[in-house]
Amino acid sequence: MGTDTVREQAADEAAGRRREQRGWYFYDWACSVYSTSVLTVFLGPYLTSVAKAAADADGFVHPLGIPLRAGSFFAYCVSASVILSIFVMPLAGAAADRTGRRKPLLAVAAYLGAAATAGMFFLDGDRYLLGGLLLIVANASLAVSMVLYNSYLPQIAPPDERDAVSARGWAFGYASGSLVLVANLILYTAHDSFGVSEATAVRICLASAGIWWGAFTLIPLKQLRDRRTPSSSGTSSPGWRQLAATVREMRRQPLTLAFLLAYLVYNDGIQTVISQASVYGSEELGLDQSTLIVAVLLVQLLAVAGALGMGRLARTYGAKRTILGSLIAWTVTLGAGYFLPAGAPVWFFVLAAGIGLVLGGSQALSRSLFSHLVPPGKEAEYFSAYEMSDRGMSWLGPLLFGLTYQLTGSYRDAIISLVIFFVLGFVLLARVPVGQAVRDAGNPVPDRI
């Protein structure tokens, strides 16, 4: 009877874990539409056109009296949002671990970002400053919410499930992005049939991403549950004091920091490609918005297969080797992008296919690999550092991209400058003994890592 009771309890725990995992997947489903439709497809070219409408005769805008080339404004705003995130994410992570209440903090961040995104409907005329402000708020909110979302992974998935669970989360996100992009494509290409202008169709697509984000966030908020861990048993330490303690502790985990440094570098390149690819396609290659939407849709569809496929490769070769292989593919793909002929959408689609096949797996496996390097009870605080490397420290890439264009006037030179992030990231990751890093963090080492 006792054995049966233990089995029933184990079955109930497994069922509860799967229920939480399904709820967890849906936050990727909710927020990935922002990353896809807003950041990757519509906002870059549209905000650039709004900035150009407000520019002077020399093509410069002057926010806060600072002369900026209108074509660089979007990239600079992305960098500004990331810098803001650096200050907010550690506080959110420390508060989550200190109180054990991740869900309320996740709700605040998610709905602030969703509201800012919905507000992009009012971005018209020459309101480039409004667009920049909403972009900064939405991007920073997304970064904070991802700290809290990612910190659930070690709690809802045992070590041998994390690669697969992380990959499914990314796959959910890319599937969601694909679905909404199809609707966006229909609205944008047939906007006359719907009785709206092209600009209005873009603003509807932007705002609908915010509504989608807010609506589907209800599912993870219902399914996930907060847990009190040893680090959340005391609530007397203020956020900054807790953060300082975390920084001191992370210095005692040098191999975890070595992985974060590698991830900071190569992911900076990934995030910059995601945010600037549509600007490159429209401004340098002369492709229209419909072509860009189809290309990004192709990325999303292949990223689903890529995330799941690379998750399976990791079971055979380990997450580290699989990520290293993806970085080689990133370098080759980005180098090929420099030579793409203008006005040739077929070759842009080939480039998009290459990006899609490595995009999801690179991100999913990096997240699951890092989850093994986190000491128990420190999930949100460590994932705030991870998210700095993900979105929070990804300001060098957009800054380099914007500066290269500002100095050369060539988006081709800007895109090829990003190769350095993948090459250096490969070298740094190859030097990290991840098995030893897992043991140093106090976690069991999976058979394949």
Side-chain angles (χ1 to χ4, degrees), residues 221-371:
L221 291 179
K222 180 180 179 180
Q223 297 286 69
L224 293 171
R225 62 186 181 90
D226 285 331
R227 296 166 174 81
R228 296 190 66 82
T229 63
S231 67
S232 63
S233 58
T235 59
S236 60
S237 298
W240 283 108
R241 189 181 302 170
Q242 184 72 36
L243 173 60
T246 301
V247 172
R248 288 194 298 270
E249 179 182 327
M250 290 189 71
R251 292 175 62 184
R252 296 195 293 269
Q253 303 287 340
L255 296 181
T256 299
L257 290 178
F259 172 82
L260 278 177
L261 176 61
Y263 181 67
L264 181 155
V265 172
Y266 71 74
N267 188 69
D268 205 339
I270 293 174
Q271 294 300 321
T272 307
V273 171
I274 292 172
S275 65
Q276 305 302 322
S278 60
V279 176
Y280 179 69
S282 63
E283 298 295 323
E284 183 67 36
L285 303 182
L287 303 176
D288 59 31
Q289 190 71 56
S290 297
T291 299
L292 297 177
I293 295 174
V294 172
V296 175
L297 178 59
L298 180 62
V299 170
Q300 299 296 301
L301 290 172
L302 289 177
V304 176
L308 297 175
M310 287 181 65
R312 292 180 179 177
L313 285 175
R315 290 203 295 266
T316 302
Y317 300 103
K320 177 184 173 180
R321 289 183 179 178
T322 307
I323 295 170
L324 289 173
S326 77
L327 296 182
I328 295 174
W330 271 109
T331 302
V332 172
T333 302
L334 199 61
Y338 176 84
F339 298 100
L340 288 185
V346 172
W347 288 110
F348 193 69
F349 293 152
V350 172
L351 180 71
I355 291 174
L357 288 173
V358 295
L359 176 61
S362 302
Q363 295 173 315
L365 293 179
S366 297
R367 178 170 63 184
S368 60
L369 178 56
F370 181 72
S371 72

Side-chain angles (χ1 to χ4, degrees), residues 31-45 117 176-182 184-185 202 205-206 208-209 278 289 293 296 300:
C31 71
S32 291
V33 172
Y34 168 82
S35 298
T36 303
S37 290
V38 177
L39 195 60
T40 305
V41 177
F42 287 107
L43 189 57
T117 306
S176 170
S178 301
L179 178 64
V180 174
L181 266 184
V182 170
N184 290 160
L185 182 60
V202 171
C205 292
L206 293 172
S208 65
S278 60
Q289 190 71 56
I293 295 174
V296 175
Q300 299 296 301

Side-chain angles (χ1 to χ4, degrees), residues 383-407:
F383 267 106
S384 70
Y386 176 85
E387 199 65 25
M388 283 186 191
S389 300
D390 190 348
R391 288 175 176 83
M393 289 298 286
S394 297
W395 57 274
L396 285 173
L399 181 61
L400 177 62
F401 188 93
L403 285 174
T404 304
Y405 175 75
Q406 176 129 352
L407 295 173

Side-chain angles (χ1 to χ4, degrees), residues 154-155 157-160 162 249 253 256 368-379 382-383 434-447 449:
Q155 297 185 349
D160 60 345
R162 286 184 202 164
E249 179 182 327
Q253 303 287 340
T256 299
S368 60
L369 178 56
F370 181 72
S371 72
H372 295 287
L373 311 182
V374 178
K378 296 290 185 180
E379 291 84 4
Y382 271 67
F383 267 106
V434 292
Q436 185 61 46
V438 175
R439 284 188 289 270
D440 290 351
N443 294 317
V445 181
D447 293 335
I449 188 67

